[in-house]
Amino acid sequence: MKKSILLGAVLASLAGAAAAQSSVTAFGVLDLAMRQAKSSGKTINLLAADGNASSRLGFRGTEDLGDGLKANFWIEAALSADTGTVDSSRFWGRRATVSLSSTQWGEVRLGRHKTAARLVIDGFTPFETAGIADISKVYSLLGSAADTINRADNQVAYSLPDNLGGIYGGAEVGAGENTDGKKYKAARLGYKNGGLNVTAGLADTDAKGSNYKLNVVGASYNFGPATVQATVGNTKFNAAKQSIYTVGLIVPVVGDSSFRAHYANSNANTAAEAIAGVGDIKLLTLGYVHAVSKRTALYMTISEIKNTGKSAVAVAGSPAVTAGNKSSAWDVGLRHSF
């Protein structure tokens, strides 16, 4: 009896120690904006979600396994804050991963998460890929057959540790599981030191008996008064090709507030226009983000997309644009993170 009591006390103390070494964090973002968008002679007024950042709800946790080894999980759902709805088909569609990480050898991650090449695109544009400034509308035009443009299912990924003198990156593969457009491989490699950050990423997805390829190089330099960003990339599917470049500027003002500007130019070859209906595209965005606190910001954004040839790309929330015409919008919004 005494041995049983003693054993129970030991097990209870071990369980308490394990719990003390674990942590779970709830986090999220709510972002809504009053928006007016125009295209092809039509105007729409709306309360739009995700003008400056993607609304989300998530939970992440870490268990310390000792000797620098940790077990981690991360689940994250997208929210449509204007209607209070979620995507029921992919409730944890933004991310659902479990991983083992070490300060010495990096991280091995399993599950659904953002792809390596997309991280390069997101990381070197002042507005990332949110709202009416969404640069992914340009980058993903030839990838309609691929389900890996932003995030990918069934990933096995490896990330380098943080102790390599500024070198970072990783590689990943996604199992197709006999579903077209899901089997892929990707990698990125970068270097960051002081104000300089340079990264290259590539991705290859099997789709419709061919390969969708994305290659992109991103660079930024923070020289104090401002940060300059740029990307140069190309996409290819069969004979259709796009060449894309972007330039961005972030000028900080008081606190965490900043003025932002972004220009993107996409040139398509004749096959892209003939096969995929993709012509040349220009995107110009100006904005200001006013930090009310560390968690709350007010923002204003103005954006315009100009299409050439058969292209008919519209800014987020815009009425459908006819080929070769432009789409524009402005919004004023509030973002709060927790």
Side-chain angles (χ1 to χ4, degrees), residues 186-205:
R188 68 172 177 144
L189 184 65
Y191 175 73
K192 187 174 183 179
N193 184 18
L196 176 67
N197 190 2
V198 181
T199 312
L202 54 88
D204 188 315
T205 304

Side-chain angles (χ1 to χ4, degrees), residues 4-20:
S4 298
I5 294 174
L6 179 60
L7 179 59
V10 171
L11 291 175
S13 65
L14 290 175

Side-chain angles (χ1 to χ4, degrees), residues 102-107 158-169:
S102 166
T103 54
Q104 296 299 315
W105 50 260
E107 181 183 30
Y158 169 72
S159 297
L160 294 171
D162 297 329
N163 58 356
L164 299 179
I167 297 174
Y168 64 91

Side-chain angles (χ1 to χ4, degrees), residues 27-106:
F27 64 94
V29 176
L30 290 176
D31 185 318
L32 288 169
M34 296 174 289
R35 180 178 301 168
Q36 183 179 88
K38 299 180 180 180
S39 65
S40 303
K42 298 179 180 179
T43 300
I44 185 171
N45 298 305
L46 63 157
L47 183 66
D50 308 346
N52 181 254
S54 298
S55 297
R56 70 198 77 168
L57 173 65
F59 300 89
R60 57 178 177 255
T62 297
E63 181 185 9
D64 191 340
L65 302 176
D67 296 326
L69 183 65
K70 295 180 180 180
N72 317 284
F73 81 90
W74 189 313
I75 51 177
E76 186 174 324
L79 300 175
S80 297
D82 53 336
T83 59
T85 58
V86 296
D87 183 354
S88 60
S89 65
R90 287 185 180 269
F91 189 86
W92 302 113
R94 286 184 57 85
R95 182 165 170 176
T97 61
V98 63
S99 68
L100 286 174
S101 63
S102 166
T103 54
Q104 296 299 315
W105 50 260

